[in-house]
Amino acid sequence: MIVYFSGTGNSRAVAQRLGSLLCDSLYEISGIAAARPSEAAMLSLAAGDSRIVWVFPTYSWGVPPVVGRFIRDIRTDDSVGAAVHWMVTTCGDDTGRTDGVFRRLVEARGWKAAGAAFSVIMPNTYTLMKGFDVDTPEVAAAKLEAMPAAVGRIAAVIDGRGERQSLIRRGAFARIKTAIVYPWFKKYAMSARPFHTTAACTACGLCSRKCPLMNIEMTADGPRWHDNCALCLRCYHICPCHAVAYGKATEGKGQYMFH
């Protein structure tokens, strides 16, 4: 089984390709499963399945809190506990020690984490701080062109056809990024309060309908963001009018959705 969370479609694309190569079913962390995982249907593997591959974007050199909460709270049966759990994370540049965060989450449930972990370079999507923007079309296209081969190598390792080794780009200062920046980011940089719409908003409701955590309410005054935000930026990148903004941080910045 491939369990994935995706905001702008990068991780979904990787999950779908992995699922096709491994002949594994797909399970998306969205809706009730993302917003209130303890209330979601029990996660269970099909007869004969012996692995779960977790696919998600890297969040500030760590695991997205929505994925961490799902791993911690989702109800499971014995088949999940007996499975081997693999990590595949998408990132714009590098991952830090995201694999260590993932391993601790999995082992806290008493599950077995695979010895290898993987990353796939995909177009940048984070735009909420100074200096962060989407890639140029040329850079994004190059990353997308390289993705199928990277996923193919990962699938071979998971399926036992390749040497069992991690294929992951941790980058410089990996431990510092994950040990210091990641906790800071989760505590201080994940508020939905700065989200608002500009005069360009037509109140089409697309941001509300597509929010994976059902966190955006349409009101007479337009979209309203509540507190259970994954900061996946789907609302920002999917808006056809480029009318979703995050304070002043997104002014003049681009949009990206995997198509």
Side-chain angles (χ1 to χ4, degrees), residues 18 48 57 81 85 94 140 148 184 218:
L18 268 176
H85 296 257
D94 54 59
W184 175 89
M218 290 303 298

Side-chain angles (χ1 to χ4, degrees), residues 3 29 52-56 70-71 85-88 102 111:
V3 178
I29 302 174
I52 296 181
V53 183
W54 299 82
V55 182
F56 51 80
F70 182 87
I71 293 174
H85 296 257
W86 300 81
M87 184 201 84
V88 179
F102 171 78
W111 302 340

